[in-house]
Amino acid sequence: MKQGSGAKRLVGNSIWNVAAFVVGAALNLMILPFAVHRLGVPAFGVASLVVACMAPASIFSSALSLSASRELAHGLAHEHLADSRRLFATAMFLALAVGVLLSFAFALAGPPLARLAFNLPGNSGEDLGEAFAFGASGWLCQCVMSVPLALLIARQDYARISAVTILGTVVATVSMLVLLPARPIPSTFMACQAAGLMAGLATALALAIRCSSHWMAWPAFHREPIRRILHLGSWQVAAQGGALIAAQADRYLLGIVLAPQFVGFYAVAQRLEEAVYIGILKVGEILFPFFSGLHNETDERKAELVFRSSWILNLLAASALGAIVPVAGPLLTMWAGADLAADARHVLIVLTVGGMLGCSVNVFAFFLLAQGRSKSTALISLVTAFFTLTTSAFALPYFGWSAAGWSICVGVAAQNVTTALLLKATFKGISIWPRFVHLVALPLLVGIGTAILLGQLIGMDGLGVHASWSAVGGLYCLSAVAIFVIVASASQFGPYRASCREDLRVIALRAFVWLR
């Protein structure tokens, strides 16, 4: 493929990827206050617990999708039709066999285990069996859908992938608008989510058959494709298992230690923070294929590109995530109501700080994965999970709701240390600590400090107490610009100020060209 054509395709794929995320995030953020209002915070907390209990099953489906897409991409690139058909058939066989088994296990064992583990007062868990049944059926659709999506990913057909994502989100959103007012219970919420996944499965199969039917085959067992799928998938299971524990630890322990309504408060705060965090992650995803082509570069050049990419993404993370802190109270009040905002505001701020610290390792994770270091990414996830879960287990029983979210900060701090040590071992003979301090730690710490200071100043002046959406949006934009300017200015104090200044010049030039 020619360089210009490849660059255009990469940009086009990124646009489709971000577009699907923006539409999905916007619909989710719009429907969540409606769902909370119709269900009530305790019932929404029960639904959030069911979602969290189903989350471990996604480890298998995500690892299967990644392994299958990687192997199918190799087969498509070399036009190995017969081999790719066998791999598709084997992946579909695994999705159906393991998917059916796990879905039945969750549907049958989930309700009694949830009643035993979580505090479900009164009749809040009466429809728990139905909620788990809908959750299991939705996950089964997601698991089977991962195989035709893997084929589309291998073809780099992100337009069709975005169509699948958007349609599924639209169906789930419309279902909630129609069904929740008539039957406002947790199982209805789970049924609407399952409806969206069923629509996504039907769409994914239809699009895959239409554009790639000759690469598809009926489910069948083949020994060699199984080995190839499991070779990469085993480490991905470990990596994603650690990431899952880190993400869901507070939900599990809040459900065990406190009432379901606190899980609802936490889920609302987390949904806002993760919308911005995932948006930043989507921007950085284009670095994966870029890093994959650095095999012929020297270690010094690789280190320069990786750390400068990290600095740019950290500058974006500090600005976009940090601007949430000053507007956390008014934003939650406008979005979900004053009662919920009073309980969730401090958790949103803590989660935002944790998200900013977590953004520091995203670029390095892409680099390690691009270099085939899947063991390293698994180690990072497992270390993060250990510190997150340990902190939650000690803090929540003693400090209660006020400690929610702090485990994320401890986990990502351990994640940063582990990643830095792995990079030190990767770039032998190269001094990475000055780079890590100047290009990774400095922008995020300055951004966190600035965001907290802006939050204190706005709170002292009483701004945003009776804010409108336009006032909250304007305040968010002003805060983001202020943080950007302060972090960019701080970058001029250190050994790599020249490279930061050059990157800022390129960003400004590209922005000017885009605006023209």
Side-chain angles (χ1 to χ4, degrees):
M1 183 181 294
K2 295 181 180 180
Q3 184 176 357
S5 176
K8 289 181 180 179
R9 186 172 188 178
L10 183 61
V11 172
N13 289 340
S14 300
I15 291 173
W16 280 112
N17 207 25
V18 173
F21 163 75
V22 169
V23 173
L27 289 176
N28 282 324
L29 290 176
M30 285 190 294
I31 198 63
L32 190 139
F34 174 82
V36 173
H37 175 71
R38 291 294 181 178
L39 291 172
V41 176
F44 180 73
V46 172
S48 299
L49 284 173
V50 175
V51 172
C53 289
M54 295 301 306
S58 64
I59 297 174
F60 169 75
S61 57
S62 299
L64 176 63
S65 178
L66 181 62
S67 300
S69 60
R70 180 179 182 272
E71 295 298 327
L72 286 170
H74 178 78
L76 266 62
H78 296 85
E79 297 185 354
H80 295 160
L81 178 60
D83 181 65
S84 296
R85 285 174 60 87
R86 284 194 296 270
L87 193 135
F88 182 91
T90 303
M92 187 63 78
F93 173 83
L94 284 175
L96 288 171
V98 179
V100 170
L101 181 64
L102 288 179
S103 61
F104 270 106
F106 276 99
L108 295 176
L113 290 177
R115 289 191 181 95
L116 182 65
F118 304 127
N119 294 308
L120 300 177
N123 59 355
S124 58
E126 282 187 352
D127 67 328
L128 206 57
E130 297 176 21
F132 268 96
F134 284 122
S137 61
W139 174 79
L140 179 59
C141 292
Q142 183 182 34
C143 183
V144 177
M145 179 173 58
S146 67
V147 181
L149 280 181
L151 181 58
L152 295 176
I153 292 171
R155 288 173 49 87
Q156 298 189 49
D157 196 346
Y158 282 89
R160 289 184 171 89
I161 295 170
S162 299
V164 172
T165 303
I166 291 172
L167 181 63
T169 306
V170 169
V171 170
T173 302
V174 172
S175 300
M176 290 183 192
L177 289 173
V178 174
L179 298 178
L180 279 180
R183 198 168 182 261
I185 55 178
S187 59
T188 306
F189 181 85
M190 298 304 300
C192 295
Q193 288 195 330
L197 293 169
M198 291 176 187
L201 171 59
T203 306
L205 286 172
L207 292 177
I209 291 172
R210 182 177 179 181
C211 67
S212 307
S213 59
H214 56 292
W215 295 98
M216 302 173 68
W218 289 100
F221 178 85
H222 298 285
R223 189 179 301 275
E224 177 60 21
I226 287 273
R227 185 193 65 79
R228 289 158 56 192
I229 290 173
L230 294 180
H231 176 70
L232 178 64
S234 58
W235 286 111
Q236 285 304 309
V237 166
Q240 295 186 28
L244 171 75
I245 293 173
Q248 302 291 342
D250 275 352
R251 287 199 194 191
Y252 294 142
L253 290 171
L254 282 171
I256 294 172
V257 177
L258 302 174
Q261 69 188 61
F262 293 101
V263 182
F265 294 145
Y266 183 87
V268 170
Q270 188 182 44
R271 187 69 61 88
L272 273 175
E273 181 270 334
E274 72 180 2
V276 181
Y277 178 86
I278 296 175
I280 297 168
L281 190 63
K282 291 292 183 182
V283 173
E285 278 184 353
I286 61 172
L287 292 172
F288 177 71
F290 172 72
F291 290 151
S292 299
L294 298 181
H295 297 291
N296 297 326
E297 300 286 350
T298 64
D299 284 349
E300 180 68 32
R301 179 58 175 165
K302 289 180 182 178
E304 180 187 5
L305 291 172
V306 169
F307 277 96
R308 288 178 70 170
S309 299
S310 178
W311 181 79
I312 293 172
L313 208 64
N314 291 339
L315 178 63
L316 174 62
S319 305
L321 276 169
I324 295 177
V325 174
V327 301
L331 178 61
L332 282 170
T333 301
M334 294 295 299
W335 185 53
D339 294 337
L340 194 146
D343 290 292
R345 176 182 175 275
H346 78 280
V347 176
L348 176 57
I349 293 174
V350 173
L351 288 175
T352 300
V353 171
M356 294 170 70
L357 293 173
C359 284
S360 62
V361 301
N362 287 336
V363 172
F364 304 129
F366 289 136
F367 173 74
L368 292 172
L369 195 58
Q371 300 299 306
R373 301 277 300 277
S374 55
K375 293 182 181 180
S376 297
T377 58
L379 177 62
I380 293 171
S381 293
L382 292 174
V383 169
T384 307
F386 172 78
F387 280 92
T388 302
L389 186 60
T390 303
T391 304
S392 293
F394 278 101
L396 288 176
Y398 288 100
F399 298 102
W401 168 239
S402 60
W406 285 109
S407 60
I408 300 292
C409 297
V410 175
V412 294
Q415 185 183 59
N416 276 274
V417 174
T418 306
T419 304
L421 294 175
L422 287 172
L423 289 172
K424 180 65 177 176
T426 301
F427 298 116
K428 295 179 180 179
I430 298 175
S431 178
I432 71 159
W433 294 113
R435 285 186 171 95
F436 196 88
V437 170
H438 188 188
L439 302 176
V440 179
L442 180 65
L444 292 176
L445 293 178
V446 171
I448 291 171
T450 305
I452 293 175
L453 179 61
L454 288 173
Q456 293 294 324
L457 292 175
I458 291 171
M460 290 170 58
D461 292 339
L463 297 176
V465 176
H466 302 290
S468 62
W469 277 114
S470 58
V472 171
L475 190 58
Y476 174 87
C477 293
L478 288 175
S479 299
V481 171
I483 294 171
F484 184 95
V485 171
I486 292 174
V487 172
S489 301
S491 70
Q492 297 308 298
F493 299 92
Y496 298 98
R497 55 183 175 272
S499 61
C500 293
R501 190 162 54 247
E502 174 63 19
D503 291 336
L504 288 171
R505 187 189 69 80
V506 172
I507 291 172
L509 180 62
R510 294 295 175 86
F512 175 74
V513 172
W514 183 82
L515 287 173
R516 288 192 62 186

